[in-house]
């Protein structure tokens, strides 16, 4: 074959030998019997250019079964749940702001009421005509000053 003077013919019809391996006989296990495995036969194929391809037959790979898709996608369910949660939070925030506004108005009215009552009490004390006033009574008498002495 490696001889440079040898030129192969277009269709070499030399005899092809097909080798079939003998199956291995498994030795029986002392504890559990083992089923003998069948060794597949070797197949040879002659290509149009004269080459011989020998090998074992391989079973076609079975595709994995396609899982059924749900009627509604997970993304759509997640978006819907997010929208429901957002609406619940917005309603709670609306109620919270309404409560804070009402509480602020109540506190403001209480402060104004306290200022009016306290101011009225102060005004009654200042402008009242009550006869009892606390303090010291001073009687001023006519005094005569002679020679730098005070005589009362």
């Amino acid at each position: 074959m490696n001889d440079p003077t040898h030129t192969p013919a277009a269709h070499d019809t030399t005899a092809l030998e097909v080798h079939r391996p003998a199956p291995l006989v498994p030795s029986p296990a002392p504890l559990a019997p083992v089923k003998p495995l069948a060794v597949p036969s070797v197949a040879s194929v002659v290509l149009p250019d004269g080459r011989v391809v020998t090998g074992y037959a391989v079973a076609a790979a079975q595709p994995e079964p396609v899982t059924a898709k749900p009627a509604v996608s997970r993304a759509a369910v997640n978006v819907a749940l997010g929208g429901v949660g957002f609406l619940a939070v917005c309603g709670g925030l609306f109620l919270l702001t309404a409560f804070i506004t009402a509480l602020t108005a109540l506190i403001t009215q209480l402060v104004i009421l306290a200022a009016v009552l306290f101011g009225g009490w102060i005004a009654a004390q200042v402008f009242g005509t009550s006869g009892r006033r606390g303090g010291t009574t001073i009687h001023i008498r006519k005094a005569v000053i002679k020679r730098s002495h005070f005589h009362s």
Side-chain angles (χ1 to χ4, degrees), residues 7-146:
T7 58
H11 293 287
D12 195 7
T13 58
T14 55
L16 298 175
E17 292 183 23
V18 175
H19 298 282
R20 297 190 184 268
L24 298 175
V25 179
S27 61
L31 297 177
V34 177
K35 290 184 180 181
L37 300 174
V39 177
S41 62
V42 177
S44 296
V45 177
V46 178
L47 298 176
D49 61 354
R51 293 181 294 162
V52 177
V53 178
T54 304
Y56 294 103
V58 178
Q62 296 294 329
E64 294 184 15
V66 177
T67 58
K69 291 185 178 181
V72 179
S73 70
R74 287 182 180 241
V77 170
N78 290 338
V79 168
L81 289 176
V84 168
F86 182 72
L87 287 177
V89 168
C90 285
L93 288 176
F94 178 72
L95 290 176
L96 182 65
T97 54
F99 175 74
I100 291 173
T101 305
L103 187 63
T104 305
L106 176 68
I107 291 173
T108 304
Q109 289 176 355
L110 288 177
V111 167
I112 291 172
L113 179 64
V116 167
L117 290 178
F118 185 69
W121 183 75
I122 295 292
Q125 294 299 319
V126 170
F127 298 115
T129 59
S130 171
R132 36 168 223 166
R133 286 197 175 173
T136 306
T137 303
I138 301 174
H139 298 285
I140 301 175
R141 295 184 186 174
K142 194 176 192 181
V144 178
I145 301 174
K146 289 184 181 180

Side-chain angles (χ1 to χ4, degrees), residues 144-152:
V144 178
I145 301 174
K146 289 184 181 180
R147 297 185 193 161
S148 300
H149 291 285
F150 179 73
H151 300 280
S152 57

